[in-house]
Amino acid sequence: MLRKPNMIEPTNYKDWASPNTKWAIGLLFLFVFAVFGYNLYKSYVESTSDIRYTIINFNERYTDSKRVGMKVSYLAEGKNQYDNCFSNKCKRIKTGERRLGYYFVNDPRLYQIIYDTIVPDSVVVPNGGWEEIPDFLKPQPNRID
């Protein structure tokens, strides 16, 4: 007579079949898909759209329960756009400063900041932005006379 060896049966083999696990996995995939889709959309707009230069205004400090940053605004296609900037460079900029930046014509909500170029208060950006950086805002080479 043959005897079966004593085998230990797993007790959690049905855990993957529970409804709660299926919901959790579904929500995880939905979140990953949303993040991937947004980054894909952003890359597409950045690679296919024209850009217009504008002035990025650093309005005030922004804090929530997790992050510290700056509230920024800029004029794009005749409308004011508002966003929060959380990069380390934004955190070092003082309230009220103005920097050169650009937005994408196909989606003006997407923008970039050129941190090295400070814009004086006397400069006014046109409603449609500048197609090129204005000469008076371009960095001047150091000349030795």
Side-chain angles (χ1 to χ4, degrees):
M1 183 183 233
L2 294 171
R3 290 181 47 167
K4 290 184 180 178
N6 291 336
M7 298 188 70
I8 300 173
E9 290 186 20
T11 58
N12 63 348
Y13 66 94
K14 292 186 178 180
D15 282 350
W16 288 100
S18 74
N20 292 336
T21 304
K22 288 180 181 179
W23 274 102
I25 292 172
L27 289 175
L28 176 68
F29 280 125
L30 183 64
F31 175 75
V32 168
F33 180 72
V35 169
F36 178 74
Y38 175 74
N39 285 328
L40 186 65
Y41 169 75
K42 187 176 172 183
S43 296
Y44 173 76
V45 168
E46 289 176 357
S47 64
T48 59
S49 178
D50 290 335
I51 62 172
R52 297 288 186 266
Y53 292 93
T54 188
I55 298 171
I56 309 292
N57 299 302
F58 291 84
N59 300 325
E60 61 181 278
R61 294 270 176 222
Y62 174 81
T63 58
D64 60 15
S65 61
K66 299 177 185 174
R67 302 178 287 188
V68 175
M70 289 290 286
K71 289 184 179 182
V72 299
S73 65
Y74 57 96
L75 185 66
E77 301 300 318
K79 295 180 183 178
N80 282 326
Q81 300 285 332
Y82 300 94
D83 197 19
N84 297 322
C85 179
F86 296 108
S87 73
N88 287 330
K89 290 182 178 182
C90 278
K91 293 175 188 176
R92 289 185 285 224
I93 294 178
K94 297 176 185 169
T95 301
E97 285 191 25
R98 298 163 35 126
R99 302 291 170 110
L100 185 65
Y102 58 91
Y103 63 91
F104 298 92
V105 175
N106 291 350
D107 189 351
R109 295 173 299 160
L110 300 176
Y111 69 99
Q112 296 291 327
I113 302 169
I114 303 172
Y115 293 98
D116 299 337
T117 307
I118 298 173
V119 179
D121 290 339
S122 60
V123 176
V124 178
V125 66
N127 282 342
W130 295 293
E131 289 185 14
E132 295 180 356
I133 298 176
D135 290 334
F136 57 90
L137 291 176
K138 289 182 180 176
Q140 301 298 322
N142 294 338
R143 295 187 336 198
I144 300 174
D145 291 331

